[in-house]
Amino acid sequence: MPNGQHRPQQPTPPAGGQWYPPEWPDRIRALADGSLTPVAPRRAATVMLLRDTPAGPAVHMLRRRVSMAFAAGAYAYPGGGVDPRDEEHQVGWAGPSLDDWAARLGTDPRTAQAIVCGAVRETFEEAGVLLAGETPDTVVGDTTGDDWEADRLALVGRELSFAEFLDRRGLRLRSDLLGAWARWITPEFEPRRYDTWFFVAALPDGQRTRNASTEADRTVWIRPADAAAGYDRGELLMMPPTISTLRSLEPYASASAALAGAAAQDLAPVLARAALEDGELVLSWPGHDEFTKRVRPGGPA
C-alpha cells in the first residue's frame, strides 16, 4: 500500500461505502482540459486471503489508518508495490512455470515473477502469512518467531529482497497456492497510480494472520457477503476494486473452490474513464456500472 504522512480531508461517501476523495472533480476537470498529465502506474499486487468457516469462506481485510494520504479509513487486502529486484534473480519456485504465469498475467516471464513475488511478499509483510515451503508440496508453519520478524522487517525496509529472503531460508515460492483474479489500474487523474493484480489464496494450515502493517489500524476476517452488505449500508468504506472483487467471491462455498475458480476470472485491466457530458463530470469503470459517478460543475465529490 502507498505510504502517507498527513491526515487527509475525509471524503463523504455517497450511497454505499464507496471511497471518493474530495479532490477528484478538480483533477478530472484538469485531465479533461489537458492541464494534467497522467503519471505512469506502478505495478502492484494484492491478495484476497481466504479461510473456511462453518458459514462459508471468510476473507482477511485491513482497515487503512485515517492518517493515510491514500484511501484513509478504507478496507482493503494485504498488498503493495512490486519490487523491481524480484525480476533480477531466479527464485526458488514451485507450481506453474514462469511462462505459464506470464501467459496468465499478460506479461513477460521476468515481470510475472516479480508480480507473483510481490503478492507473496506483501502477504507476509502485512499479514505474517508466507506462501512458501522447503519442497514443492510443503508450506512453512509458524512464522511468528523473532528470526522471522527480523526478516519481515528487513523486507519492509527493502534491506532484503524477497529472492534473497527465500534463498537464505532455502524456500520455494508456492505459486500454485495463488490464483490470479482481477486487474485494476488507478484512474489517470490520480497522482499515485498502480497497475494492480488481485490474487486469491487460502490460509495455509498452521499459519495465522496478524496485523503486521503500519498502515492499518485493524484487521478482520469477514465473509465477502457480509463485507459487501456493510459497504451497501455505508458502514464499510471501500474503493471500487475492493467491493467488486468481494462481490465476485460470494458464489464460492469454500476457499479451495475460489482458488479453483480463479482460472476462469477475466484479467482484462479495468481502468476508470472520466468525461464531460452535458456539463457534468462523469466517472465510470467500464463493465462496473455501480461505480459510475456524476458530478455537476462546482458540485461536491
Short mmCIF file of all heavy atoms in Angstrom, two decimals, residues 4-56:
data_model
loop_
_atom_site.label_atom_id
_atom_site.label_comp_id
_atom_site.label_asym_id
_atom_site.label_seq_id
_atom_site.Cartn_x
_atom_site.Cartn_y
_atom_site.Cartn_z
N GLY A 4 1.78 7.42 3.48
CA GLY A 4 1.42 8.82 3.60
C GLY A 4 1.65 9.28 5.02
O GLY A 4 1.62 8.50 5.96
N GLN A 5 1.85 10.59 5.19
CA GLN A 5 2.16 11.12 6.49
C GLN A 5 1.09 12.05 7.04
O GLN A 5 0.95 12.20 8.24
CB GLN A 5 3.49 11.90 6.41
CG GLN A 5 4.68 11.04 5.99
CD GLN A 5 5.00 9.97 6.99
OE1 GLN A 5 4.86 10.17 8.19
NE2 GLN A 5 5.43 8.81 6.52
N HIS A 6 0.36 12.74 6.17
CA HIS A 6 -0.54 13.79 6.63
C HIS A 6 -1.98 13.30 6.67
O HIS A 6 -2.41 12.53 5.83
CB HIS A 6 -0.43 15.01 5.70
CG HIS A 6 0.97 15.54 5.61
ND1 HIS A 6 1.59 16.15 6.67
CD2 HIS A 6 1.86 15.53 4.60
CE1 HIS A 6 2.82 16.50 6.31
NE2 HIS A 6 3.00 16.12 5.06
N ARG A 7 -2.72 13.80 7.61
CA ARG A 7 -4.13 13.45 7.73
C ARG A 7 -4.90 14.12 6.61
O ARG A 7 -4.92 15.35 6.50
CB ARG A 7 -4.68 13.90 9.09
CG ARG A 7 -6.11 13.44 9.34
CD ARG A 7 -6.61 13.99 10.66
NE ARG A 7 -7.95 13.51 10.95
CZ ARG A 7 -8.20 12.41 11.64
NH1 ARG A 7 -7.21 11.68 12.07
NH2 ARG A 7 -9.44 12.03 11.88
N PRO A 8 -5.56 13.37 5.73
CA PRO A 8 -6.23 13.97 4.59
C PRO A 8 -7.60 14.49 4.96
O PRO A 8 -8.16 14.17 6.00
CB PRO A 8 -6.36 12.79 3.61
CG PRO A 8 -6.53 11.62 4.53
CD PRO A 8 -5.67 11.91 5.75
N GLN A 9 -8.14 15.32 4.07
CA GLN A 9 -9.54 15.69 4.20
C GLN A 9 -10.37 14.45 3.93
O GLN A 9 -10.18 13.75 2.95
CB GLN A 9 -9.88 16.78 3.17
CG GLN A 9 -11.33 17.21 3.20
CD GLN A 9 -11.60 18.24 2.11
OE1 GLN A 9 -10.69 18.68 1.43
NE2 GLN A 9 -12.86 18.61 1.97
N GLN A 10 -11.29 14.14 4.83
CA GLN A 10 -12.05 12.90 4.71
C GLN A 10 -13.22 13.07 3.76
O GLN A 10 -13.99 14.02 3.88
CB GLN A 10 -12.57 12.47 6.09
CG GLN A 10 -11.46 12.01 7.02
CD GLN A 10 -10.70 10.84 6.44
OE1 GLN A 10 -11.26 9.78 6.20
NE2 GLN A 10 -9.42 11.01 6.19
N PRO A 11 -13.37 12.17 2.78
CA PRO A 11 -14.49 12.25 1.86
C PRO A 11 -15.78 11.83 2.53
O PRO A 11 -15.79 11.07 3.48
CB PRO A 11 -14.10 11.26 0.75
CG PRO A 11 -13.26 10.25 1.47
CD PRO A 11 -12.50 11.01 2.53
N THR A 12 -16.88 12.35 2.03
CA THR A 12 -18.20 11.91 2.47
C THR A 12 -18.69 10.88 1.47
O THR A 12 -18.91 11.21 0.30
CB THR A 12 -19.19 13.08 2.53
OG1 THR A 12 -18.68 14.03 3.46
CG2 THR A 12 -20.55 12.60 2.97
N PRO A 13 -18.85 9.62 1.87
CA PRO A 13 -19.22 8.61 0.89
C PRO A 13 -20.63 8.82 0.38
O PRO A 13 -21.52 9.24 1.12
CB PRO A 13 -19.11 7.30 1.67
CG PRO A 13 -19.22 7.69 3.10
CD PRO A 13 -18.66 9.06 3.21
N PRO A 14 -20.88 8.55 -0.91
CA PRO A 14 -22.23 8.59 -1.44
C PRO A 14 -22.97 7.34 -1.00
O PRO A 14 -22.57 6.67 -0.05
CB PRO A 14 -22.00 8.61 -2.96
CG PRO A 14 -20.71 7.88 -3.13
CD PRO A 14 -19.89 8.20 -1.90
N ALA A 15 -24.06 7.01 -1.67
CA ALA A 15 -24.79 5.79 -1.33
C ALA A 15 -23.81 4.63 -1.31
O ALA A 15 -22.98 4.47 -2.19
CB ALA A 15 -25.88 5.55 -2.36
N GLY A 16 -23.94 3.81 -0.27
CA GLY A 16 -22.97 2.75 -0.09
C GLY A 16 -21.72 3.31 0.58
O GLY A 16 -21.69 4.42 1.07
N GLY A 17 -20.67 2.52 0.58
CA GLY A 17 -19.44 2.95 1.24
C GLY A 17 -18.33 3.19 0.26
O GLY A 17 -17.18 2.89 0.54
N GLN A 18 -18.65 3.74 -0.91
CA GLN A 18 -17.63 3.93 -1.94
C GLN A 18 -16.75 5.13 -1.60
O GLN A 18 -17.25 6.18 -1.23
CB GLN A 18 -18.30 4.14 -3.30
CG GLN A 18 -17.32 4.09 -4.46
CD GLN A 18 -18.05 4.05 -5.78
OE1 GLN A 18 -19.24 3.81 -5.82
NE2 GLN A 18 -17.34 4.29 -6.85
N TRP A 19 -15.46 4.94 -1.74
CA TRP A 19 -14.49 5.96 -1.37
C TRP A 19 -14.23 6.88 -2.56
O TRP A 19 -13.78 6.44 -3.60
CB TRP A 19 -13.20 5.29 -0.93
CG TRP A 19 -12.11 6.25 -0.54
CD1 TRP A 19 -11.98 6.91 0.64
CD2 TRP A 19 -10.98 6.62 -1.33
NE1 TRP A 19 -10.84 7.68 0.62
CE2 TRP A 19 -10.21 7.52 -0.57
CE3 TRP A 19 -10.55 6.30 -2.62
CZ2 TRP A 19 -9.04 8.10 -1.04
CZ3 TRP A 19 -9.38 6.87 -3.10
CH2 TRP A 19 -8.64 7.75 -2.31
N TYR A 20 -14.56 8.16 -2.40
CA TYR A 20 -14.25 9.17 -3.40
C TYR A 20 -13.57 10.34 -2.70
O TYR A 20 -14.18 11.00 -1.86
CB TYR A 20 -15.52 9.69 -4.08
CG TYR A 20 -16.07 8.80 -5.16
CD1 TYR A 20 -17.28 8.16 -4.99
CD2 TYR A 20 -15.38 8.59 -6.34
CE1 TYR A 20 -17.80 7.34 -5.97
CE2 TYR A 20 -15.88 7.77 -7.32
CZ TYR A 20 -17.10 7.15 -7.14
OH TYR A 20 -17.61 6.33 -8.11
N PRO A 21 -12.32 10.62 -3.00
CA PRO A 21 -11.67 11.76 -2.37
C PRO A 21 -12.21 13.09 -2.90
O PRO A 21 -12.63 13.17 -4.06
CB PRO A 21 -10.19 11.58 -2.74
CG PRO A 21 -10.19 10.69 -3.92
CD PRO A 21 -11.42 9.85 -3.86
N PRO A 22 -12.23 14.13 -2.08
CA PRO A 22 -12.86 15.39 -2.47
C PRO A 22 -12.15 16.11 -3.62
O PRO A 22 -12.76 16.97 -4.27
CB PRO A 22 -12.82 16.23 -1.19
CG PRO A 22 -11.71 15.62 -0.37
CD PRO A 22 -11.73 14.16 -0.70
N GLU A 23 -10.87 15.77 -3.86
CA GLU A 23 -10.14 16.46 -4.91
C GLU A 23 -10.38 15.87 -6.30
O GLU A 23 -9.91 16.42 -7.30
CB GLU A 23 -8.63 16.47 -4.61
CG GLU A 23 -7.97 15.11 -4.62
CD GLU A 23 -8.01 14.40 -3.28
OE1 GLU A 23 -8.81 14.81 -2.40
OE2 GLU A 23 -7.27 13.41 -3.10
N TRP A 24 -11.09 14.77 -6.40
CA TRP A 24 -11.27 14.14 -7.71
C TRP A 24 -11.93 15.03 -8.76
O TRP A 24 -11.46 15.07 -9.89
CB TRP A 24 -12.05 12.82 -7.54
CG TRP A 24 -11.14 11.64 -7.30
CD1 TRP A 24 -9.82 11.68 -6.94
CD2 TRP A 24 -11.48 10.27 -7.39
NE1 TRP A 24 -9.32 10.41 -6.79
CE2 TRP A 24 -10.32 9.53 -7.06
CE3 TRP A 24 -12.66 9.59 -7.70
CZ2 TRP A 24 -10.32 8.13 -7.05
CZ3 TRP A 24 -12.64 8.20 -7.69
CH2 TRP A 24 -11.49 7.48 -7.37
N PRO A 25 -13.02 15.73 -8.46
CA PRO A 25 -13.63 16.55 -9.53
C PRO A 25 -12.65 17.53 -10.16
O PRO A 25 -12.60 17.67 -11.39
CB PRO A 25 -14.77 17.27 -8.80
CG PRO A 25 -15.14 16.35 -7.70
CD PRO A 25 -13.83 15.76 -7.23
N ASP A 26 -11.85 18.23 -9.33
CA ASP A 26 -10.89 19.18 -9.89
C ASP A 26 -9.84 18.48 -10.74
O ASP A 26 -9.43 18.99 -11.79
CB ASP A 26 -10.21 19.97 -8.77
CG ASP A 26 -11.13 20.97 -8.10
OD1 ASP A 26 -12.16 21.32 -8.72
OD2 ASP A 26 -10.84 21.39 -6.97
N ARG A 27 -9.41 17.31 -10.31
CA ARG A 27 -8.40 16.58 -11.07
C ARG A 27 -8.98 16.05 -12.37
O ARG A 27 -8.31 16.01 -13.40
CB ARG A 27 -7.80 15.45 -10.23
CG ARG A 27 -7.05 15.94 -8.99
CD ARG A 27 -6.26 14.82 -8.34
NE ARG A 27 -5.19 14.36 -9.23
CZ ARG A 27 -4.01 14.93 -9.33
NH1 ARG A 27 -3.72 15.99 -8.62
NH2 ARG A 27 -3.11 14.43 -10.15
N ILE A 28 -10.25 15.63 -12.34
CA ILE A 28 -10.89 15.15 -13.56
C ILE A 28 -11.03 16.31 -14.56
O ILE A 28 -10.79 16.14 -15.77
CB ILE A 28 -12.28 14.54 -13.25
CG1 ILE A 28 -12.10 13.24 -12.45
CG2 ILE A 28 -13.05 14.26 -14.53
CD1 ILE A 28 -13.40 12.69 -11.89
N ARG A 29 -11.40 17.49 -14.07
CA ARG A 29 -11.50 18.65 -14.96
C ARG A 29 -10.15 18.98 -15.56
O ARG A 29 -10.05 19.31 -16.75
CB ARG A 29 -12.04 19.86 -14.17
CG ARG A 29 -13.49 19.72 -13.73
CD ARG A 29 -13.99 20.99 -13.05
NE ARG A 29 -15.34 20.78 -12.54
CZ ARG A 29 -15.65 20.50 -11.29
NH1 ARG A 29 -14.68 20.39 -10.39
NH2 ARG A 29 -16.89 20.33 -10.91
N ALA A 30 -9.10 18.89 -14.75
CA ALA A 30 -7.76 19.18 -15.25
C ALA A 30 -7.34 18.17 -16.31
O ALA A 30 -6.70 18.52 -17.31
CB ALA A 30 -6.76 19.18 -14.10
N LEU A 31 -7.70 16.90 -16.12
CA LEU A 31 -7.39 15.88 -17.12
C LEU A 31 -8.15 16.17 -18.41
O LEU A 31 -7.60 16.07 -19.52
CB LEU A 31 -7.76 14.49 -16.59
CG LEU A 31 -7.49 13.31 -17.52
CD1 LEU A 31 -5.98 13.11 -17.72
CD2 LEU A 31 -8.10 12.02 -16.97
N ALA A 32 -9.43 16.58 -18.27
CA ALA A 32 -10.26 16.85 -19.44
C ALA A 32 -9.75 18.04 -20.25
O ALA A 32 -9.81 18.04 -21.48
CB ALA A 32 -11.70 17.07 -19.02
N ASP A 33 -9.22 19.08 -19.56
CA ASP A 33 -8.77 20.26 -20.30
C ASP A 33 -7.30 20.21 -20.68
O ASP A 33 -6.75 21.16 -21.25
CB ASP A 33 -9.08 21.55 -19.53
CG ASP A 33 -8.30 21.69 -18.22
OD1 ASP A 33 -7.23 21.08 -18.08
OD2 ASP A 33 -8.77 22.44 -17.33
N GLY A 34 -6.63 19.10 -20.36
CA GLY A 34 -5.26 18.91 -20.78
C GLY A 34 -4.21 19.50 -19.88
O GLY A 34 -3.01 19.44 -20.19
N SER A 35 -4.61 20.05 -18.74
CA SER A 35 -3.63 20.66 -17.84
C SER A 35 -3.03 19.65 -16.86
O SER A 35 -2.14 19.99 -16.09
CB SER A 35 -4.26 21.82 -17.06
OG SER A 35 -5.36 21.37 -16.27
N LEU A 36 -3.51 18.43 -16.87
CA LEU A 36 -2.96 17.37 -16.02
C LEU A 36 -2.42 16.26 -16.91
O LEU A 36 -3.13 15.75 -17.79
CB LEU A 36 -4.04 16.83 -15.08
CG LEU A 36 -3.60 15.79 -14.03
CD1 LEU A 36 -4.53 15.86 -12.81
CD2 LEU A 36 -3.62 14.37 -14.59
N THR A 37 -1.18 15.91 -16.70
CA THR A 37 -0.55 14.82 -17.45
C THR A 37 -0.53 13.57 -16.58
O THR A 37 0.02 13.60 -15.47
CB THR A 37 0.89 15.18 -17.85
OG1 THR A 37 0.87 16.37 -18.64
CG2 THR A 37 1.54 14.04 -18.62
N PRO A 38 -1.13 12.47 -17.03
CA PRO A 38 -1.15 11.25 -16.20
C PRO A 38 0.26 10.74 -15.92
O PRO A 38 1.15 10.81 -16.76
CB PRO A 38 -1.93 10.25 -17.08
CG PRO A 38 -2.71 11.08 -18.03
CD PRO A 38 -1.87 12.29 -18.29
N VAL A 39 0.44 10.24 -14.69
CA VAL A 39 1.71 9.60 -14.35
C VAL A 39 1.61 8.12 -14.70
O VAL A 39 0.51 7.54 -14.75
CB VAL A 39 2.03 9.77 -12.85
CG1 VAL A 39 2.17 11.23 -12.50
CG2 VAL A 39 0.97 9.11 -11.98
N ALA A 40 2.73 7.50 -14.95
CA ALA A 40 2.75 6.07 -15.28
C ALA A 40 2.41 5.26 -14.03
O ALA A 40 2.93 5.55 -12.94
CB ALA A 40 4.10 5.66 -15.82
N PRO A 41 1.54 4.26 -14.14
CA PRO A 41 1.20 3.45 -12.97
C PRO A 41 2.34 2.52 -12.58
O PRO A 41 3.05 1.99 -13.44
CB PRO A 41 -0.03 2.66 -13.42
CG PRO A 41 0.10 2.58 -14.91
CD PRO A 41 0.78 3.85 -15.33
N ARG A 42 2.49 2.33 -11.30
CA ARG A 42 3.48 1.39 -10.77
C ARG A 42 2.83 0.02 -10.62
O ARG A 42 1.67 -0.07 -10.19
CB ARG A 42 3.97 1.89 -9.40
CG ARG A 42 5.00 1.00 -8.74
CD ARG A 42 5.32 1.50 -7.34
NE ARG A 42 6.22 0.59 -6.63
CZ ARG A 42 6.50 0.66 -5.35
NH1 ARG A 42 5.92 1.60 -4.60
NH2 ARG A 42 7.32 -0.21 -4.79
N ARG A 43 3.55 -1.05 -10.93
CA ARG A 43 3.00 -2.39 -10.77
C ARG A 43 2.79 -2.72 -9.30
O ARG A 43 3.62 -2.36 -8.45
CB ARG A 43 3.92 -3.43 -11.41
CG ARG A 43 4.03 -3.31 -12.92
CD ARG A 43 4.66 -4.57 -13.51
NE ARG A 43 5.95 -4.86 -12.93
CZ ARG A 43 7.11 -4.45 -13.41
NH1 ARG A 43 7.14 -3.69 -14.48
NH2 ARG A 43 8.25 -4.77 -12.83
N ALA A 44 1.70 -3.39 -8.99
CA ALA A 44 1.39 -3.74 -7.61
C ALA A 44 0.65 -5.07 -7.59
O ALA A 44 0.17 -5.55 -8.63
CB ALA A 44 0.54 -2.65 -6.95
N ALA A 45 0.58 -5.66 -6.41
CA ALA A 45 -0.13 -6.93 -6.24
C ALA A 45 -0.81 -6.94 -4.89
O ALA A 45 -0.30 -6.37 -3.92
CB ALA A 45 0.84 -8.11 -6.35
N THR A 46 -1.96 -7.58 -4.81
CA THR A 46 -2.71 -7.69 -3.57
C THR A 46 -3.35 -9.07 -3.51
O THR A 46 -3.62 -9.67 -4.55
CB THR A 46 -3.76 -6.57 -3.46
OG1 THR A 46 -4.33 -6.56 -2.16
CG2 THR A 46 -4.86 -6.73 -4.49
N VAL A 47 -3.57 -9.56 -2.29
CA VAL A 47 -4.04 -10.94 -2.12
C VAL A 47 -5.29 -10.99 -1.26
O VAL A 47 -5.33 -10.45 -0.15
CB VAL A 47 -2.94 -11.82 -1.49
CG1 VAL A 47 -3.47 -13.24 -1.23
CG2 VAL A 47 -1.73 -11.89 -2.40
N MET A 48 -6.32 -11.64 -1.78
CA MET A 48 -7.53 -11.94 -1.02
C MET A 48 -7.30 -13.28 -0.34
O MET A 48 -7.46 -14.34 -0.94
CB MET A 48 -8.74 -11.99 -1.96
CG MET A 48 -8.97 -10.68 -2.70
SD MET A 48 -10.38 -10.74 -3.84
CE MET A 48 -9.73 -11.80 -5.13
N LEU A 49 -6.89 -13.21 0.90
CA LEU A 49 -6.55 -14.41 1.68
C LEU A 49 -7.83 -14.97 2.31
O LEU A 49 -8.54 -14.25 3.02
CB LEU A 49 -5.54 -14.05 2.75
CG LEU A 49 -4.86 -15.19 3.51
CD1 LEU A 49 -4.03 -16.05 2.56
CD2 LEU A 49 -3.98 -14.62 4.62
N LEU A 50 -8.13 -16.23 2.05
CA LEU A 50 -9.38 -16.85 2.49
C LEU A 50 -9.12 -17.96 3.50
O LEU A 50 -8.09 -18.64 3.46
CB LEU A 50 -10.13 -17.44 1.29
CG LEU A 50 -10.50 -16.49 0.15
CD1 LEU A 50 -11.10 -17.28 -1.01
CD2 LEU A 50 -11.47 -15.41 0.62
N ARG A 51 -10.08 -18.14 4.40
CA ARG A 51 -10.09 -19.32 5.27
C ARG A 51 -11.53 -19.79 5.39
O ARG A 51 -12.48 -19.00 5.33
CB ARG A 51 -9.50 -19.02 6.64
CG ARG A 51 -10.38 -18.20 7.55
CD ARG A 51 -9.76 -18.02 8.93
NE ARG A 51 -10.65 -17.29 9.83
CZ ARG A 51 -10.30 -16.84 11.03
NH1 ARG A 51 -9.06 -17.03 11.46
NH2 ARG A 51 -11.16 -16.20 11.78
N ASP A 52 -11.70 -21.09 5.56
CA ASP A 52 -13.05 -21.66 5.65
C ASP A 52 -13.60 -21.51 7.06
O ASP A 52 -12.88 -21.62 8.06
CB ASP A 52 -13.03 -23.13 5.25
CG ASP A 52 -12.79 -23.32 3.76
OD1 ASP A 52 -13.34 -22.52 2.98
OD2 ASP A 52 -12.05 -24.25 3.39
N THR A 53 -14.91 -21.24 7.13
CA THR A 53 -15.65 -21.19 8.40
C THR A 53 -16.92 -22.01 8.20
O THR A 53 -17.29 -22.33 7.05
CB THR A 53 -16.03 -19.74 8.78
OG1 THR A 53 -17.13 -19.30 7.96
CG2 THR A 53 -14.86 -18.79 8.60
N PRO A 54 -17.63 -22.36 9.28
CA PRO A 54 -18.88 -23.11 9.11
C PRO A 54 -19.91 -22.38 8.25
O PRO A 54 -20.77 -23.02 7.64
CB PRO A 54 -19.39 -23.25 10.56
CG PRO A 54 -18.15 -23.23 11.39
CD PRO A 54 -17.25 -22.24 10.71
N ALA A 55 -19.81 -21.04 8.18
CA ALA A 55 -20.76 -20.26 7.38
C ALA A 55 -20.24 -19.96 5.98
O ALA A 55 -20.86 -19.21 5.23
CB ALA A 55 -21.09 -18.95 8.10
N GLY A 56 -19.10 -20.56 5.62
CA GLY A 56 -18.52 -20.29 4.31
C GLY A 56 -17.19 -19.57 4.45
O GLY A 56 -16.76 -19.22 5.55
#
